[in-house]
Structure formats: structure tokens, C-alpha cells
Amino acid sequence: MEAYECVISKRDTRAYLDKPIVEEDLRRVLQAGRMAGSSKNTQPTRLVVVTDRKRREEVAACAKFSQHLPAAAAGIAICLPSTGSDFDAGRAAQNMMLAAWSLGIASCPCSMHDQECVKKTLGLPEDYRVVVVLALGYPDPAVSMHLGRKRVEMEELVHDERWQGKSAG
Ligand SMILES: Cc1cc2nc3c(=O)[nH]c(=O)nc-3n(C[C@H](O)[C@H](O)[C@H](O)COP(=O)(O)O)c2cc1C
């Protein structure tokens, strides 16, 4: 899939086939996360790959909106130490989701609302937290790939040279 097409067509998908991810494809996805740039090349992000369904159920129980995680083929927890920046984690996450989508693997991030719960479930060191868990799996063709959520219009998103409208000064 061409890069722009991959970016534009990727949606956060919550219904998956009961089919494991090809090992080599999972390696490629993780490699895409590994290659993400980071602030001062500190590379703070660590990944916990969860293929065991029972463990994914336990992780989902630490969150409010992760009903799709148990039925996914795999979960990837994006972990950061307290010194790490969310932007670094976000770059790794988006790299992986786009690399996955280029291989036909859909995904959706899961916010982890109970950090103590997810840290304990995944055995994280004290200083680490889980930024999101990516649910990954081959999309179920019988279910819509997304919830039909719209994006803000380009005119609202983009300001030309300076912020248009009300500003601080
Ligand atoms: C940081 C972050 C956390 C998210 N957490 C959840 C979540 O806990 N559960 C969920 O179903 N979707 C979650 N999402 C997915 C968003 O709901 C999704 O990106 C948005 O609705 C747009 O979806 P679309 O690209 O399919 O239109 C999360 C997205 C981001 C960026």
C-alpha cells in the first residue's frame, strides 16, 4: 500500500477475525516502533507484546473502553518511564499502527484508566506507566472498520501564518 493511502485510510478498528498475526508481520510492526525517532534520541519507549488472550482480558479489565482488546489477535502495551515524553510514545504507536495497516492488520489504541492494575498485570517496573495498549488484528469484513467519526474541517484545523480569530495578543 502506498504511504499516503495507508495514512489516509487507517481507521481505529475494533472488530477482528479470530486469526493470529503472522509472526514475521508482527516483527515488522515492532521494528516500525523501534525505528521511531525520539527526543534527543533517548528512546524511552518499551513495548510489551501480549498474545495470550487471558492476559489481554486482564489488561482490558484495567480500562473503561477496551472491550475490543480480548478479541484482538495481539496487544502491544506502549510503556514509558516517568522521564519519557508522550510524544515519543505516540510516534512509536502511530508507526506501528501504520506499518500494521500496510500489512492489512487493523488496530485501535486502548487507554488504560487504572495504571496500578495494568502495571501489576504486565509486571512493569515501578517507574514505568502504560501510555496506551494497541489492539491489533485482521479486520472483520462483516463489521464497519470505524465508527464514522468525522475530522474537523481543514479551515478549522489550519491557520495561515498566524492564528486567525481570537488570540491572546
Ligand atoms: C490516545 C488515544 C486513546 C484512545 N483510547 C481509546 C479507547 O480506550 N477505546 C477506544 O475504543 N478507542 C480509543 N481510541 C480511539 C479513538 O476513539 C479514535 O482514534 C477516534 O475515534 C477516531 O477514530 P477513526 O480514526 O476510526 O475515525 C484512542 C485514541 C487515542 C489517540
PDB file of all heavy atoms in Angstrom, residues 120-143:
ATOM      1  N   LYS A 120       0.577  -3.898  37.291  1.00  0.00           N
ATOM      2  CA  LYS A 120       0.676  -5.180  38.003  1.00  0.00           C
ATOM      3  C   LYS A 120       0.458  -6.346  37.029  1.00  0.00           C
ATOM      4  O   LYS A 120       1.211  -7.331  37.037  1.00  0.00           O
ATOM      5  CB  LYS A 120      -0.379  -5.206  39.119  1.00  0.00           C
ATOM      6  CG  LYS A 120      -0.154  -6.264  40.152  1.00  0.00           C
ATOM      7  CD  LYS A 120      -1.094  -6.073  41.329  1.00  0.00           C
ATOM      8  CE  LYS A 120      -1.076  -7.343  42.154  1.00  0.00           C
ATOM      9  NZ  LYS A 120      -2.328  -7.646  42.792  1.00  0.00           N
ATOM     10  N   THR A 121      -0.536  -6.210  36.175  1.00  0.00           N
ATOM     11  CA  THR A 121      -0.857  -7.293  35.225  1.00  0.00           C
ATOM     12  C   THR A 121       0.317  -7.585  34.296  1.00  0.00           C
ATOM     13  O   THR A 121       0.600  -8.736  33.963  1.00  0.00           O
ATOM     14  CB  THR A 121      -2.099  -6.910  34.389  1.00  0.00           C
ATOM     15  OG1 THR A 121      -3.164  -6.625  35.286  1.00  0.00           O
ATOM     16  CG2 THR A 121      -2.508  -8.017  33.452  1.00  0.00           C
ATOM     17  N   LEU A 122       1.007  -6.507  33.882  1.00  0.00           N
ATOM     18  CA  LEU A 122       2.109  -6.693  32.929  1.00  0.00           C
ATOM     19  C   LEU A 122       3.475  -6.735  33.609  1.00  0.00           C
ATOM     20  O   LEU A 122       4.498  -6.894  32.932  1.00  0.00           O
ATOM     21  CB  LEU A 122       2.073  -5.571  31.878  1.00  0.00           C
ATOM     22  CG  LEU A 122       0.819  -5.553  30.986  1.00  0.00           C
ATOM     23  CD1 LEU A 122       0.866  -4.394  30.011  1.00  0.00           C
ATOM     24  CD2 LEU A 122       0.667  -6.874  30.234  1.00  0.00           C
ATOM     25  N   GLY A 123       3.516  -6.577  34.922  1.00  0.00           N
ATOM     26  CA  GLY A 123       4.787  -6.691  35.654  1.00  0.00           C
ATOM     27  C   GLY A 123       5.762  -5.564  35.378  1.00  0.00           C
ATOM     28  O   GLY A 123       6.980  -5.784  35.352  1.00  0.00           O
ATOM     29  N   LEU A 124       5.252  -4.359  35.173  1.00  0.00           N
ATOM     30  CA  LEU A 124       6.126  -3.218  34.858  1.00  0.00           C
ATOM     31  C   LEU A 124       6.964  -2.793  36.061  1.00  0.00           C
ATOM     32  O   LEU A 124       6.512  -2.898  37.203  1.00  0.00           O
ATOM     33  CB  LEU A 124       5.269  -2.013  34.424  1.00  0.00           C
ATOM     34  CG  LEU A 124       5.174  -1.748  32.933  1.00  0.00           C
ATOM     35  CD1 LEU A 124       4.611  -2.929  32.192  1.00  0.00           C
ATOM     36  CD2 LEU A 124       4.335  -0.508  32.678  1.00  0.00           C
ATOM     37  N   PRO A 125       8.178  -2.251  35.793  1.00  0.00           N
ATOM     38  CA  PRO A 125       8.953  -1.656  36.889  1.00  0.00           C
ATOM     39  C   PRO A 125       8.194  -0.455  37.468  1.00  0.00           C
ATOM     40  O   PRO A 125       7.384   0.159  36.771  1.00  0.00           O
ATOM     41  CB  PRO A 125      10.242  -1.189  36.200  1.00  0.00           C
ATOM     42  CG  PRO A 125      10.280  -1.891  34.888  1.00  0.00           C
ATOM     43  CD  PRO A 125       8.861  -2.185  34.508  1.00  0.00           C
ATOM     44  N   GLU A 126       8.475  -0.125  38.700  1.00  0.00           N
ATOM     45  CA  GLU A 126       7.759   0.932  39.426  1.00  0.00           C
ATOM     46  C   GLU A 126       7.712   2.250  38.658  1.00  0.00           C
ATOM     47  O   GLU A 126       6.689   2.926  38.596  1.00  0.00           O
ATOM     48  CB  GLU A 126       8.419   1.128  40.807  1.00  0.00           C
ATOM     49  CG  GLU A 126       7.669   2.067  41.724  1.00  0.00           C
ATOM     50  CD  GLU A 126       6.174   1.729  41.835  1.00  0.00           C
ATOM     51  OE1 GLU A 126       5.838   0.534  42.014  1.00  0.00           O
ATOM     52  OE2 GLU A 126       5.367   2.661  41.724  1.00  0.00           O
ATOM     53  N   ASP A 127       8.822   2.616  38.021  1.00  0.00           N
ATOM     54  CA  ASP A 127       8.943   3.930  37.393  1.00  0.00           C
ATOM     55  C   ASP A 127       8.222   4.020  36.039  1.00  0.00           C
ATOM     56  O   ASP A 127       8.220   5.078  35.418  1.00  0.00           O
ATOM     57  CB  ASP A 127      10.440   4.253  37.229  1.00  0.00           C
ATOM     58  CG  ASP A 127      10.651   5.695  36.810  1.00  0.00           C
ATOM     59  OD1 ASP A 127       9.927   6.558  37.341  1.00  0.00           O
ATOM     60  OD2 ASP A 127      11.510   5.935  35.945  1.00  0.00           O
ATOM     61  N   TYR A 128       7.641   2.934  35.576  1.00  0.00           N
ATOM     62  CA  TYR A 128       7.020   2.936  34.244  1.00  0.00           C
ATOM     63  C   TYR A 128       5.504   3.054  34.321  1.00  0.00           C
ATOM     64  O   TYR A 128       4.885   2.693  35.313  1.00  0.00           O
ATOM     65  CB  TYR A 128       7.387   1.657  33.473  1.00  0.00           C
ATOM     66  CG  TYR A 128       8.740   1.740  32.811  1.00  0.00           C
ATOM     67  CD1 TYR A 128       9.908   1.665  33.564  1.00  0.00           C
ATOM     68  CD2 TYR A 128       8.856   1.921  31.437  1.00  0.00           C
ATOM     69  CE1 TYR A 128      11.154   1.762  32.969  1.00  0.00           C
ATOM     70  CE2 TYR A 128      10.101   2.019  30.832  1.00  0.00           C
ATOM     71  CZ  TYR A 128      11.242   1.943  31.598  1.00  0.00           C
ATOM     72  OH  TYR A 128      12.475   2.047  31.005  1.00  0.00           O
ATOM     73  N   ARG A 129       4.912   3.572  33.226  1.00  0.00           N
ATOM     74  CA  ARG A 129       3.457   3.594  33.069  1.00  0.00           C
ATOM     75  C   ARG A 129       3.116   3.135  31.655  1.00  0.00           C
ATOM     76  O   ARG A 129       3.981   3.145  30.775  1.00  0.00           O
ATOM     77  CB  ARG A 129       2.896   4.994  33.324  1.00  0.00           C
ATOM     78  CG  ARG A 129       3.278   6.007  32.266  1.00  0.00           C
ATOM     79  CD  ARG A 129       2.964   7.438  32.727  1.00  0.00           C
ATOM     80  NE  ARG A 129       3.723   8.385  31.950  1.00  0.00           N
ATOM     81  CZ  ARG A 129       3.257   9.008  30.859  1.00  0.00           C
ATOM     82  NH1 ARG A 129       2.022   8.769  30.447  1.00  0.00           N
ATOM     83  NH2 ARG A 129       4.005   9.845  30.185  1.00  0.00           N
ATOM     84  N   VAL A 130       1.856   2.755  31.492  1.00  0.00           N
ATOM     85  CA  VAL A 130       1.381   2.342  30.161  1.00  0.00           C
ATOM     86  C   VAL A 130       0.644   3.523  29.540  1.00  0.00           C
ATOM     87  O   VAL A 130      -0.361   3.990  30.081  1.00  0.00           O
ATOM     88  CB  VAL A 130       0.457   1.112  30.263  1.00  0.00           C
ATOM     89  CG1 VAL A 130      -0.108   0.748  28.896  1.00  0.00           C
ATOM     90  CG2 VAL A 130       1.221  -0.073  30.854  1.00  0.00           C
ATOM     91  N   VAL A 131       1.136   4.008  28.421  1.00  0.00           N
ATOM     92  CA  VAL A 131       0.512   5.165  27.758  1.00  0.00           C
ATOM     93  C   VAL A 131      -0.773   4.716  27.059  1.00  0.00           C
ATOM     94  O   VAL A 131      -1.838   5.302  27.283  1.00  0.00           O
ATOM     95  CB  VAL A 131       1.482   5.818  26.746  1.00  0.00           C
ATOM     96  CG1 VAL A 131       0.834   6.999  26.038  1.00  0.00           C
ATOM     97  CG2 VAL A 131       2.765   6.249  27.449  1.00  0.00           C
ATOM     98  N   VAL A 132      -0.676   3.713  26.233  1.00  0.00           N
ATOM     99  CA  VAL A 132      -1.849   3.056  25.630  1.00  0.00           C
ATOM    100  C   VAL A 132      -1.478   1.601  25.351  1.00  0.00           C
ATOM    101  O   VAL A 132      -0.300   1.253  25.337  1.00  0.00           O
ATOM    102  CB  VAL A 132      -2.307   3.669  24.274  1.00  0.00           C
ATOM    103  CG1 VAL A 132      -2.994   5.003  24.414  1.00  0.00           C
ATOM    104  CG2 VAL A 132      -1.178   3.733  23.274  1.00  0.00           C
ATOM    105  N   VAL A 133      -2.493   0.798  25.130  1.00  0.00           N
ATOM    106  CA  VAL A 133      -2.276  -0.561  24.619  1.00  0.00           C
ATOM    107  C   VAL A 133      -2.905  -0.595  23.226  1.00  0.00           C
ATOM    108  O   VAL A 133      -4.077  -0.228  23.064  1.00  0.00           O
ATOM    109  CB  VAL A 133      -2.935  -1.626  25.523  1.00  0.00           C
ATOM    110  CG1 VAL A 133      -2.749  -3.016  24.920  1.00  0.00           C
ATOM    111  CG2 VAL A 133      -2.345  -1.566  26.933  1.00  0.00           C
ATOM    112  N   LEU A 134      -2.132  -1.000  22.237  1.00  0.00           N
ATOM    113  CA  LEU A 134      -2.672  -1.134  20.890  1.00  0.00           C
ATOM    114  C   LEU A 134      -3.294  -2.519  20.747  1.00  0.00           C
ATOM    115  O   LEU A 134      -2.630  -3.523  21.022  1.00  0.00           O
ATOM    116  CB  LEU A 134      -1.570  -0.982  19.839  1.00  0.00           C
ATOM    117  CG  LEU A 134      -0.748   0.307  19.884  1.00  0.00           C
ATOM    118  CD1 LEU A 134       0.290   0.300  18.760  1.00  0.00           C
ATOM    119  CD2 LEU A 134      -1.638   1.532  19.803  1.00  0.00           C
ATOM    120  N   ALA A 135      -4.553  -2.554  20.341  1.00  0.00           N
ATOM    121  CA  ALA A 135      -5.187  -3.824  19.968  1.00  0.00           C
ATOM    122  C   ALA A 135      -4.972  -4.002  18.473  1.00  0.00           C
ATOM    123  O   ALA A 135      -5.202  -3.075  17.696  1.00  0.00           O
ATOM    124  CB  ALA A 135      -6.678  -3.778  20.284  1.00  0.00           C
ATOM    125  N   LEU A 136      -4.496  -5.171  18.077  1.00  0.00           N
ATOM    126  CA  LEU A 136      -4.204  -5.426  16.654  1.00  0.00           C
ATOM    127  C   LEU A 136      -4.871  -6.712  16.191  1.00  0.00           C
ATOM    128  O   LEU A 136      -4.914  -7.692  16.940  1.00  0.00           O
ATOM    129  CB  LEU A 136      -2.695  -5.589  16.443  1.00  0.00           C
ATOM    130  CG  LEU A 136      -1.834  -4.359  16.686  1.00  0.00           C
ATOM    131  CD1 LEU A 136      -0.713  -4.697  17.628  1.00  0.00           C
ATOM    132  CD2 LEU A 136      -1.279  -3.827  15.395  1.00  0.00           C
ATOM    133  N   GLY A 137      -5.359  -6.699  14.972  1.00  0.00           N
ATOM    134  CA  GLY A 137      -5.937  -7.920  14.410  1.00  0.00           C
ATOM    135  C   GLY A 137      -6.402  -7.694  12.991  1.00  0.00           C
ATOM    136  O   GLY A 137      -6.555  -6.558  12.548  1.00  0.00           O
ATOM    137  N   TYR A 138      -6.611  -8.789  12.276  1.00  0.00           N
ATOM    138  CA  TYR A 138      -7.135  -8.678  10.911  1.00  0.00           C
ATOM    139  C   TYR A 138      -8.598  -8.248  11.004  1.00  0.00           C
ATOM    140  O   TYR A 138      -9.361  -8.808  11.808  1.00  0.00           O
ATOM    141  CB  TYR A 138      -6.979 -10.016  10.183  1.00  0.00           C
ATOM    142  CG  TYR A 138      -5.526 -10.407  10.043  1.00  0.00           C
ATOM    143  CD1 TYR A 138      -4.930 -11.304  10.928  1.00  0.00           C
ATOM    144  CD2 TYR A 138      -4.730  -9.837   9.049  1.00  0.00           C
ATOM    145  CE1 TYR A 138      -3.581 -11.639  10.823  1.00  0.00           C
ATOM    146  CE2 TYR A 138      -3.377 -10.166   8.934  1.00  0.00           C
ATOM    147  CZ  TYR A 138      -2.817 -11.059   9.825  1.00  0.00           C
ATOM    148  OH  TYR A 138      -1.485 -11.381   9.733  1.00  0.00           O
ATOM    149  N   PRO A 139      -8.979  -7.228  10.236  1.00  0.00           N
ATOM    150  CA  PRO A 139     -10.341  -6.689  10.384  1.00  0.00           C
ATOM    151  C   PRO A 139     -11.413  -7.691   9.985  1.00  0.00           C
ATOM    152  O   PRO A 139     -11.230  -8.457   9.039  1.00  0.00           O
ATOM    153  CB  PRO A 139     -10.347  -5.477   9.436  1.00  0.00           C
ATOM    154  CG  PRO A 139      -9.226  -5.703   8.480  1.00  0.00           C
ATOM    155  CD  PRO A 139      -8.199  -6.522   9.199  1.00  0.00           C
ATOM    156  N   ASP A 140     -12.520  -7.667  10.726  1.00  0.00           N
ATOM    157  CA  ASP A 140     -13.674  -8.499  10.402  1.00  0.00           C
ATOM    158  C   ASP A 140     -14.449  -7.805   9.285  1.00  0.00           C
ATOM    159  O   ASP A 140     -15.004  -6.724   9.504  1.00  0.00           O
ATOM    160  CB  ASP A 140     -14.551  -8.649  11.660  1.00  0.00           C
ATOM    161  CG  ASP A 140     -15.771  -9.529  11.416  1.00  0.00           C
ATOM    162  OD1 ASP A 140     -16.059  -9.832  10.241  1.00  0.00           O
ATOM    163  OD2 ASP A 140     -16.417  -9.904  12.402  1.00  0.00           O
ATOM    164  N   PRO A 141     -14.502  -8.414   8.085  1.00  0.00           N
ATOM    165  CA  PRO A 141     -15.168  -7.740   6.962  1.00  0.00           C
ATOM    166  C   PRO A 141     -16.666  -7.556   7.167  1.00  0.00           C
ATOM    167  O   PRO A 141     -17.291  -6.751   6.480  1.00  0.00           O
ATOM    168  CB  PRO A 141     -14.867  -8.663   5.769  1.00  0.00           C
ATOM    169  CG  PRO A 141     -14.517  -9.980   6.351  1.00  0.00           C
ATOM    170  CD  PRO A 141     -13.972  -9.739   7.721  1.00  0.00           C
ATOM    171  N   ALA A 142     -17.236  -8.281   8.138  1.00  0.00           N
ATOM    172  CA  ALA A 142     -18.682  -8.175   8.374  1.00  0.00           C
ATOM    173  C   ALA A 142     -19.042  -6.942   9.209  1.00  0.00           C
ATOM    174  O   ALA A 142     -20.218  -6.622   9.378  1.00  0.00           O
ATOM    175  CB  ALA A 142     -19.165  -9.434   9.088  1.00  0.00           C
ATOM    176  N   VAL A 143     -18.021  -6.272   9.741  1.00  0.00           N
ATOM    177  CA  VAL A 143     -18.264  -5.122  10.632  1.00  0.00           C
ATOM    178  C   VAL A 143     -17.588  -3.883  10.050  1.00  0.00           C
ATOM    179  O   VAL A 143     -16.484  -3.984   9.499  1.00  0.00           O
ATOM    180  CB  VAL A 143     -17.703  -5.420  12.054  1.00  0.00           C
ATOM    181  CG1 VAL A 143     -17.962  -4.265  13.013  1.00  0.00           C
ATOM    182  CG2 VAL A 143     -18.280  -6.721  12.597  1.00  0.00           C
TER     183      VAL A 143
END
